[in-house]
């Protein structure tokens, strides 16, 4: 059954499933050390980017050790906030969560939602993630403050806005309820763009679009395809305002309790999963768009030209100001480091 057909029922049953699943995890928790069965939850569906990463990690661990990895997909243990709480509590050993949700814990992680900060060119984005001082030095310290061992940040895809009608200017977003993650800075972005930001859990998005509670949302194109969002929000607009980023991390106490060899095993598995995932996302957006267009005659695709993008880009500074206001001196320093890292990449 297609993922979109499951969204409405998932939103009803998630709490029941979560209670049962977490109960089962707690029953087996005392045996974790003996069983060497590591638990890893992420935010996406079968075959989506985080799932590809998780299974590549699992495959490496199981091929190179006696450990096993149990992967839990979206909804099996609840929403994103639920799986983060379970990781911090030590119920899960690993979690994949985007900064869009982690921003509640780590305000500086919201930097990925400053519009037009990251380029949209895939090669440049990947080079940034490979070389950025902010990614490799600053963020691990910020995550450690929350009991989390940051193992990898990686890009998933360019953000695409879907709406109930095509648009090319901020004026055309006025009065539109756009779903956002529970992230103050993302809400500020859409206020700057002229829309009305509406925070909602992922499990409620399809139904919100279907009933016109929402008029739009943003996601990478592969999520728009796998979640069937184009069925209820068929007008796709490439605004060029950013990439969806995610992070894979471990419970810090768990990681610290591993032997040096096991820690290296986890790091090697993470690198192997990253390389596999970067290869996977190459061409994924085009493939997903082709699937969407083949599945629906109602879909429209709008790619803003440079003049149209400039009208949105001019509103980005107020989002930067909000980011610094939310995060203080640390956020200001991080923003400058991001810009320096990006300059280093683009100048090369």
């Amino acid at each position: 059954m297609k993922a979109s057909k499951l969204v409405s029922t998932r939103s009803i049953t998630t709490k029941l499933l979560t209670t049962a699943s977490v109960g089962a995890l707690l029953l087996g928790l005392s045996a974790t050390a003996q069983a060497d069965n590591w638990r890893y939850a992420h935010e996406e569906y079968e075959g989506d980017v985080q799932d590809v990463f998780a299974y590549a990690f699992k495959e490496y661990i199981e091929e190179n050790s006696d450990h096993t990895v149990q992967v839990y997909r979206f909804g099996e243990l609840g929403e994103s906030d639920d799986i983060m709480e379970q990781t911090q509590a030590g119920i899960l050993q690993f979690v994949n969560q985007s900064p869009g949700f982690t921003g509640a814990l780590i305000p500086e992680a919201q930097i990925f939602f400053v519009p037009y900060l990251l380029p949209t060119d895939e090669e440049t984005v990947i080079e940034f993630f490979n070389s950025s001082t902010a990614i490799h030095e600053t963020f691990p310290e910020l995550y450690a403050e929350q009991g989390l061992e940051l193992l990898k940040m990686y890009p998933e895809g360019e953000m695409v806005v879907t709406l109930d009608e095509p648009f090319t200017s901020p004026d055309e977003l006025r009065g539109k309820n756009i779903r956002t993650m529970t992230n103050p800075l993302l809400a500020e972005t859409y206020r700057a763009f002229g829309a009305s930001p509406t925070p909602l859990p992922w499990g409620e998005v399809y139904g919100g679009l279907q009933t016109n509670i929402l008029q739009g949302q943003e996601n990478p194109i592969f999520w728009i395809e796998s979640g069937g969002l184009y069925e209820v929000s068929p007008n796709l607009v490439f605004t060029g305002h950013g990439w969806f980023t995610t992070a894979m991390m471990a419970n810090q106490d768990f990681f610290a309790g591993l032997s040096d060899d096991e820690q290296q095993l986890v790091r090697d598995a993470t690198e192997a999963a990253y390389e596999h995932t970067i290869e996977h996302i190459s061409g994924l957006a085009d493939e997903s768009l082709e699937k969407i267009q083949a599945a629906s005659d109602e879909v429209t695709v709008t790619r803003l030209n440079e003049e149209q993008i400039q009208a949105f880009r001019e509103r980005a500074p107020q989002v930067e100001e909000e980011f610094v206001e939310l995060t203080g001196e640390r956020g200001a320093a991080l923003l400058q480091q991001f810009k320096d890292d990006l300059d280093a990449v683009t100048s090369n």
Side-chain angles (χ1 to χ4, degrees), residues 4-283:
S4 60
K5 306 299 189 287
L6 296 174
V7 171
S8 59
T9 56
R10 274 184 172 145
S11 63
I12 297 170
T13 59
T14 291
K15 289 187 178 179
L16 293 174
L17 289 170
T18 301
T19 301
S21 300
V22 174
L25 287 180
L26 288 169
L27 277 174
L29 194 58
S30 61
T32 299
Q34 292 79 12
D36 293 321
N37 180 46
W38 296 342
R39 301 177 177 92
Y40 181 148
H42 65 74
E43 306 168 306
E44 296 178 356
Y45 297 127
E46 180 179 359
D48 284 345
V49 173
Q50 290 183 23
D51 197 53
V52 168
F53 187 101
Y55 272 87
F57 177 84
K58 169 185 169 72
E59 181 178 346
Y60 188 97
I61 293 291
E62 294 180 353
E63 286 183 355
N64 292 278
S65 75
D66 293 330
H67 301 303
T68 57
V69 178
Q70 177 67 45
V71 176
Y72 298 90
R73 296 178 173 124
F74 171 78
E76 293 180 4
L77 297 177
E79 294 271 357
S80 290
D81 290 346
D82 299 314
I83 60 176
M84 176 56 78
E85 289 173 5
Q86 291 158 31
T87 305
Q88 289 183 296
I91 298 170
L92 296 169
Q93 284 73 54
F94 301 99
V95 69
N96 212 129
Q97 187 183 64
S98 77
F101 294 106
T102 312
L105 285 175
I106 306 168
E108 294 86 352
Q110 296 176 85
I111 195 169
F112 293 101
F113 295 92
V114 174
Y116 301 102
L117 181 59
L118 285 176
T120 55
D121 173 69
E122 183 177 298
E123 184 177 346
T124 306
V125 169
I126 291 170
E127 187 177 349
F128 169 76
F129 275 86
N130 286 340
S131 62
S132 166
T133 298
I135 297 290
H136 295 282
E137 296 182 17
T138 308
F139 272 111
E141 296 175 0
L142 296 173
Y143 276 71
E145 292 174 3
Q146 300 300 326
L148 299 164
E149 184 74 24
L150 179 62
L151 295 168
K152 183 62 68 177
M153 281 185 155
Y154 61 96
E156 294 194 47
E158 180 183 349
M159 298 302 286
V160 178
V161 181
T162 71
L163 204 68
D164 58 348
E165 58 185 348
F167 69 92
T168 58
S169 72
D171 287 343
E172 292 172 295
L173 288 180
R174 189 171 295 128
K176 301 290 188 181
N177 293 329
I178 305 291
R179 180 264 177 175
T180 63
M181 291 177 277
T182 51
N183 178 312
L185 202 72
L186 184 57
E188 181 63 25
T189 292
Y190 276 95
R191 275 193 290 271
F193 285 174
S196 299
T198 307
L200 270 184
W202 167 244
E204 299 176 25
V205 175
Y206 189 97
L209 292 166
Q210 192 172 36
T211 57
N212 204 39
I213 293 172
L214 301 172
Q215 284 78 57
Q217 61 84 49
E218 66 161 31
N219 260 303
I221 195 74
F222 75 85
W223 256 51
I224 294 168
E225 189 275 322
S226 69
L229 298 181
Y230 64 90
E231 299 168 350
V232 288
S233 190
N235 301 292
L236 281 57
V237 181
F238 287 75
T239 55
H241 71 277
W243 269 63
F244 189 83
T245 298
T246 194
M248 184 262 196
M249 64 211 87
N251 174 284
Q252 196 172 50
D253 289 339
F254 158 76
F255 188 79
L258 298 176
S259 68
D260 290 346
D261 287 345
E262 287 174 322
Q263 288 186 3
Q264 190 59 50
L265 170 72
V266 169
R267 294 194 186 282
D268 290 345
T270 301
E271 286 302 319
Y274 174 74
E275 294 298 330
H276 178 74
T277 302
I278 292 302
E279 184 178 341
H280 172 77
I281 67 172
S282 178

Side-chain angles (χ1 to χ4, degrees), residues 312-324:
F312 287 92
R313 186 183 283 117
E314 288 172 354
R315 301 180 179 220
Q318 73 186 71
V319 185
E320 287 194 11
E321 291 173 9
E322 179 69 13
F323 174 74
V324 173

